[in-house]
Amino acid sequence: MGILDGILLGFSQAATPTALLFCLIGVLLGTLIGVLPGIGPSATIAMLLPITLGLDPLTALIMLAGIYYGAQYGGSITAILVNLPGEPSTAVTAIDGYQMARQGRAGSALAISAIGSFVAGTIATVVLAVASPALSQVALKFGAPEYFALTLLGIVLVVVLSRGSLLKGLAMATFGLLLGQVGTDVFTSDTRFTFGLDDLRSGVSFIAVSVGVFGIAEILRNLEQDSTIPRALHKINRLMPTREDFRRSVGPILRGTFLGSLLGVLPGGGAFLSSFASYAVEKRFSRHPEEFGKGAIEGVAGPDSANNAGAQTSFIPMLTLGVPSNAVMALMIGAMVVQGIQPGPRVIVTQPELFWGLVASMWIGN
């Protein structure tokens, strides 16, 4: 079956009233879950998995997929408005998005986030349809040396992204490495630095850390201020970005989409790694790097595009190889098994309506 035939088949399957309804439910739930810090799409999909037993396989997968990529945009809303990332991948959006909100430009930040998410999701869906086999092979070739290089890149990014003292940036990178040592070793099953607490066996939750660093810090900062001093509240009275905002956002959106599409297929990275890498790239390529951290719209457009593209292309290893790239994809494989579908490269051949229907639903969901 050709790609064009597959796309037409997919839209015929995904555009039915039932599929459209559950696509809407999934994306709406995902957006709401993304707004609420600490819950996340993994827990939501796990709780809703039994409900999908009464649905046909395609409808069930469409709803669950909508929850995942809907949460990527939902997490940006609170990151921009109240400096509280709803998703780990939107933590970097809070850096400049919240500063834009404090300057009375929250509407522009939210609109650019939505536009970037839609453009990135659309392009990533095309990549998913066209390049699934090739990109899945790239993911399979990543071994220990490549992951070591990615880890080293992460440490370098900390130094690049940090403002002010280089020594403080290195100190925070070291502190992050120490936090990453907490938990159970995947090879020996030995526990490290858990201090006898069972809750630490699975490591330190990044969601808990991001909520603490961004959310609680902002709450304490507000409590420190004198409540008798009148505060300036800016209404969101303009949602459409200016022409200058659009001009400055086109490049970051396209670069973020490219990065997210590539990094999304890597196990464990996906949307989270994509957003931070995109922020580092935009800061490096910007003509005004001094604006980053102070309300640069590129710091919203690039990362939000990257995390949505990464979320879409993370389906590639799951659909083509039966290999989950993250916890959500593992749950999606569980949903397929429950529905009597064997994940792997034969899915696109034996059940093309399922593969292409899910791909088409992603564009509808976006």
Side-chain angles (χ1 to χ4, degrees):
M1 178 182 293
I3 294 175
L4 182 58
D5 293 335
I7 292 174
L8 293 176
L9 174 63
F11 275 105
S12 68
Q13 297 293 320
T16 62
T18 303
L20 288 174
L21 174 63
F22 279 92
C23 182
L24 173 63
I25 292 173
V27 174
L28 180 61
L29 276 176
T31 304
L32 295 176
I33 291 303
V35 170
L36 300 174
I39 299 178
S42 299
T44 306
I45 291 175
M47 289 187 290
L48 294 180
L49 201 55
I51 299 177
T52 63
L53 293 175
L55 304 174
D56 66 87
L58 177 59
T59 303
L61 291 177
I62 285 176
M63 186 184 76
L64 297 178
I67 292 173
Y68 178 46
Y69 56 77
Q72 304 305 317
Y73 173 69
S76 299
I77 297 175
T78 48
I80 292 171
L81 295 180
V82 293
N83 201 26
L84 192 62
E87 278 290 293
S89 59
T90 59
V92 71
T93 305
I95 298 175
D96 283 281
Y98 181 62
Q99 293 302 320
M100 289 183 66
R102 294 185 66 180
Q103 298 165 13
R105 301 167 60 205
S108 296
L110 290 170
I112 284 295
S113 174
I115 293 169
S117 298
F118 173 74
V119 172
T122 300
I123 295 175
T125 301
V126 175
V127 172
L128 174 63
V130 175
S132 290
L135 286 178
S136 62
Q137 293 301 317
V138 172
L140 282 180
K141 291 180 180 178
F142 261 71
E146 289 79 12
Y147 280 109
F148 174 79
L150 277 179
T151 304
L152 189 61
L153 174 64
I155 299 173
V156 173
L157 289 181
V158 171
V159 179
V160 173
L161 295 177
S162 62
R163 302 188 302 271
S165 171
L166 177 63
L167 182 61
K168 290 181 179 178
L170 290 173
M172 292 309 297
T174 304
F175 182 63
L177 285 173
L178 292 176
L179 287 180
Q181 298 303 309
V182 177
T184 304
D185 187 275
V186 294
F187 296 105
T188 64
S189 297
D190 292 331
T191 56
R192 299 184 301 239
F193 308 113
T194 58
F195 303 102
L197 300 175
D198 291 337
D199 291 338
L200 292 178
R201 285 180 175 270
S202 57
V204 178
S205 170
F206 184 82
I207 294 178
V209 173
S210 61
V211 169
V213 169
F214 291 93
I216 296 178
E218 187 64 26
I219 293 171
L220 294 177
R221 189 180 297 114
N222 289 332
L223 291 176
E224 286 178 352
Q225 298 176 0
D226 189 349
S227 59
T228 61
I229 299 177
R231 302 182 184 181
L233 298 177
H234 301 281
K235 291 184 178 180
I236 304 178
N237 50 17
R238 179 188 174 90
L239 277 175
M240 286 305 296
T242 63
R243 183 175 298 180
E244 177 66 11
D245 289 337
F246 274 119
R247 185 188 68 79
R248 294 179 58 173
S249 299
V250 171
I253 288 174
L254 295 178
R255 284 189 291 268
T257 301
F258 176 76
L259 273 175
S261 298
L262 286 180
L263 298 179
V265 300
L266 301 180
F272 171 69
L273 179 61
S274 303
S275 61
F276 277 83
S278 174
Y279 190 87
V281 168
E282 294 313 317
K283 188 175 181 180
R284 180 63 63 187
F285 278 89
S286 176
R287 295 179 180 177
H288 308 283
E290 70 280 357
E291 294 182 8
F292 278 74
K294 301 177 183 178
I297 197 164
E298 296 92 337
V300 175
D304 268 8
S305 302
N307 70 33
N308 276 269
Q312 304 279 42
T313 55
S314 64
F315 282 83
I316 290 175
M318 188 271 288
L319 289 173
T320 59
L321 299 171
V323 177
S325 56
N326 53 49
V328 175
M329 292 302 105
L331 290 170
M332 294 289 291
I333 286 181
M336 294 176 71
V337 172
V338 166
Q339 293 284 352
I341 301 168
Q342 180 61 43
R346 297 292 300 169
V347 169
I348 191 173
V349 177
T350 59
Q351 294 182 298
E353 69 283 349
L354 180 73
F355 177 86
W356 293 108
L358 184 58
V359 171
S361 75
M362 291 179 182
W363 187 83
I364 296 171
N366 272 288

